[in-house]
Amino acid sequence: MTRLTGLVTDAVLLTLASLTIGSLPPAVWQQLVGGEPRWLDLLSAAVAAVCPWAYFAACWTLTGTTIGGLLVGARTCRPDGRPLGPVRAAVRAFVGLAVAPLWLVGMLGVLTDRRRRAWHDRLFGTVVRRTSVGLSPTGRGRSRPPVRRTGPAGRIAR
């Protein structure tokens, strides 16, 4: 449910951004100059169409998380904790957007995988980890620093 909440948050933000990018420049041009040039309509539409892919690819490459991920305290990385890298992030974003309904069905994989990976996580060799960042008022779902237990003579027990 956490991942779905983050995804819905990102979808709402991207819908608003795409609508703004696609319609605002031609509307401003219309008000200032009069008439809408066809090239501006096409350019605005193209940028609006690329915006979701660029958002996910850039976020996963630079920070491993999106605004929705920050909200719920989730970060996408490789199983060893390393960042995705630009190519893996770009391809993961492209496939996710190209086959969005299948991507959502693939989220069912978290119910059967002990590491809670969706089908696309298995495909791209990624995991989604909890972070200490998140806006959960109860603190649930946040990772805590490891507890250091000491054994006899103050040595750290393993």
Side-chain angles (χ1 to χ4, degrees), residues 57-154:
C59 287
W60 289 334
T61 298
L62 298 173
T63 64
T65 191
T66 61
I67 294 171
L70 282 173
L71 179 71
V72 299
R75 180 177 68 94
T76 304
C77 60
R78 294 181 188 185
D80 62 3
R82 290 184 300 146
L84 295 187
V87 173
R88 186 181 309 235
V91 172
R92 188 177 194 266
F94 179 79
V95 170
L97 292 165
V99 290
L102 187 59
W103 189 274
L104 289 173
V105 171
M107 295 290 278
L108 294 173
V110 302
L111 301 174
T112 60
D113 187 89
R114 68 176 179 81
R115 293 169 59 192
R116 297 185 47 87
R117 291 177 300 169
W119 297 340
H120 51 271
D121 291 321
R122 294 178 201 171
L123 177 67
F124 291 104
T126 59
V127 293
V128 176
R129 294 192 173 155
R130 301 253 184 201
T131 64
S132 60
V133 178
L135 301 180
S136 170
T138 62
R140 286 181 158 183
R142 295 179 181 201
S143 62
R144 293 182 178 88
V147 176
R148 296 181 62 122
R149 301 173 196 261
T150 57

Side-chain angles (χ1 to χ4, degrees), residues 24-69:
L24 189 60
V28 169
W29 185 285
Q30 171 73 26
Q31 289 298 315
L32 295 176
V33 181
E36 294 178 22
R38 182 79 177 135
W39 65 267
L40 185 57
D41 287 335
L42 294 173
L43 180 62
S44 296
V47 172
V50 171
C51 182
W53 171 80
Y55 169 77
F56 284 112
C59 287
W60 289 334
T61 298
L62 298 173
T63 64
T65 191
T66 61
I67 294 171

